[in-house]
Amino acid sequence: VQLQASGGGLVQAGGSLRLSCAASRRAFSNYAMGWFRQAPGKEREFVATISYSGATTSYASLVKGRFTISRDNAKNTVYLQMNSLKPEDTAVYYCAASAQRRIATMTSEYDYWGQGTLVTVSS
């Protein structure tokens, strides 16, 4: 599975962005999907995950209530809607696919990774 993330950019604090991650494979609907982020000098951290069907989601406490993960299996695409952005949300955001199908919060549970898209939030 090849993953292509897009939608990053520069935004002011309080603004919004929507990230997209397009998958190359028709079996996309068999994978749980996740978003992670990595800020300079920090480890990669979990942001959000969605089950293969889209019925179940989970969020990191730092983004809960501000970010929404969703998927369109007909388009082989997962999204991350980010609202009320803060400077501390600045990071490279990565999408990932997990063959275990259920939601997954650990990097070790993911089998495929996209190349990342940079989100910069100015104060």
Side-chain angles (χ1 to χ4, degrees):
V1 177
Q2 291 185 325
L3 302 172
Q4 181 71 40
S6 62
L10 174 64
V11 64
Q12 288 189 332
S16 299
L17 280 176
R18 188 176 82 154
L19 306 183
S20 299
C21 176
S24 63
R25 191 164 173 174
R26 286 189 295 175
F28 170 78
S29 61
N30 289 333
Y31 291 82
M33 298 297 295
W35 287 96
F36 289 75
R37 67 187 183 187
Q38 188 166 17
K42 295 188 176 182
E43 293 188 354
R44 192 169 298 190
E45 64 177 3
F46 165 74
V47 175
T49 179
I50 188 167
S51 63
Y52 73 103
S53 66
T56 306
T57 59
S58 181
Y59 298 90
S61 57
L62 289 175
V63 307
K64 197 168 187 178
R66 300 188 297 123
F67 291 10
T68 302
I69 188 171
S70 61
R71 67 189 297 159
D72 185 338
N73 286 344
K75 295 183 178 179
N76 288 0
T77 302
V78 63
Y79 305 96
L80 185 69
Q81 177 66 43
M82 305 186 295
N83 298 329
S84 303
L85 282 162
K86 305 174 181 180
E88 50 264 43
D89 293 319
T90 295
V92 176
Y93 283 71
Y94 298 90
C95 61
S98 172
Q100 68 181 23
R101 298 176 54 153
R102 59 179 172 82
I103 58 173
T105 62
M106 299 175 61
T107 57
S108 59
E109 296 178 285
Y110 286 85
D111 304 284
Y112 304 97
W113 292 84
Q115 85 292 356
T117 184
L118 176 62
V119 172
T120 304
V121 184
S122 63
S123 57

